[in-house]
Amino acid sequence: DAGVTQSPTHLIKTRGQHVTLRCSPISGHKSVSWYQQVLGQGPQFIFQYYEKEERGRGNFPDRFSARQFPNYSSELNVNALLLGDSALYLCASSYQGYGYTFGSGTRLTVV
Amino acid sequence: DQQVKQNSPSLSVQEGRISILNCDYTNSMFDYFLWYKKYPAEGPTFLISISSIKDKNEDGRFTVFLNKSAKHLSLHIVPSQPGDSAVYFCAASGGSGNTPLVFGKGTRLSVIA
């Protein structure tokens, strides 16, 4: 069985651009969460979606948005990229909210 | 305001000995705690968890202890192996299912052969 898959694995963007990151959860998992991990820190919660509805949002600016599709896959969008948005973006899926399985992440570099 | 704290950024242990990684939390609403292991260029991998109704959970070489009154948990790895060398994150969640995880900053464990 495939785990949580994220694409792309690496991405380089210029300041001011926008980016879309994608995540496919484990089959049967209806909850998808997004986390940002900057160097030297633990992952920080950005969004959680369950059954296509936003269930939680972390302390991130409105430049960050996300959505979940009918097949439970998800996209994270970041507009007007800043240098500080450079990080590893992790997607996690869960069946009932306690056992989170993470993907390998998308490494975003903003130059 | 860090709700989950891992005060040791790094730990070095000899192969075969016990590794003890510590984690403190401040939010009394947390009722579920997890440990994740992370290698470079990979996402965090779930190791072991514990619910607040327990004070110990064991899985092979890994044991997690929870002291609710002290708001402290620890991960014991016995015996430590070189393949255990990684960054270990403590995470907590609470309130109900589908609540987000709050992570500590991680502890880098080096197991020396």
Side-chain angles (χ1 to χ4, degrees), chain A:
Chain A
D1 278 347
V4 178
T5 56
Q6 292 188 242
S7 63
T9 55
H10 294 84
L11 202 52
I12 299 175
K13 289 286 189 179
T14 304
R15 276 178 296 176
Q17 287 187 314
H18 73 272
V19 68
T20 299
L21 311 180
R22 294 178 176 84
C23 172
S24 294
I26 291 172
S27 178
H29 284 193
K30 299 179 179 179
S31 175
V32 170
S33 300
W34 288 94
Y35 290 79
Q36 180 197 63
Q37 186 185 9
V38 298
L39 203 60
Q41 302 291 319
Q44 190 170 359
F45 171 70
I46 310 174
F47 282 109
Q48 182 174 33
Y49 279 79
Y50 180 73
E51 287 276 22
K52 293 156 281 180
E53 289 188 4
E54 182 182 306
R55 289 299 183 93
R57 182 187 182 118
N59 188 21
F60 281 81
D62 292 343
R63 300 184 295 107
F64 288 76
S65 64
R67 54 180 176 168
Q68 187 176 31
F69 298 100
N71 66 353
Y72 303 110
S73 68
S74 178
E75 282 183 355
L76 175 69
N77 294 283
V78 187
N79 292 325
L81 284 166
L82 303 175
L83 294 179
D85 295 331
S86 296
L88 179 68
Y89 288 85
L90 295 162
C91 173
S93 78
S94 166
Y95 176 64
Q96 288 189 337
Y98 281 104
Y100 290 92
T101 302
F102 283 84
S104 296
T106 294
R107 172 71 62 186
L108 172 65
T109 302
V110 182
V111 297

Side-chain angles (χ1 to χ4, degrees), chain B residues 61-79:
Chain B
R61 297 186 298 113
F62 302 91
T63 303
V64 56
F65 295 92
L66 175 63
N67 182 333
K68 283 181 62 180
S69 61
K71 295 191 176 66
H72 176 83
L73 61 154
S74 61
L75 174 68
H76 293 210
I77 306 174
V78 183

Side-chain angles (χ1 to χ4, degrees), chain B residues 33-111:
Chain B
F33 304 90
L34 309 91
W35 285 93
Y36 283 85
K37 173 180 177 180
K38 189 178 182 305
Y39 295 114
E42 295 183 11
T45 302
F46 170 75
L47 263 181
I48 192 169
S49 63
I50 188 166
S51 162
S52 60
I53 62 173
K54 294 185 175 182
D55 55 16
K56 177 182 174 181
N57 189 25
E58 197 169 351
D59 184 3
R61 297 186 298 113
F62 302 91
T63 303
V64 56
F65 295 92
L66 175 63
N67 182 333
K68 283 181 62 180
S69 61
K71 295 191 176 66
H72 176 83
L73 61 154
S74 61
L75 174 68
H76 293 210
I77 306 174
V78 183
S80 300
Q81 300 173 354
D84 296 330
S85 297
V87 178
Y88 289 78
F89 289 100
C90 171
S93 70
S96 63
N98 285 312
T99 54
L101 297 176
V102 179
F103 284 84
K105 290 186 176 183
T107 296
R108 181 176 300 279
L109 174 65
S110 299
V111 180

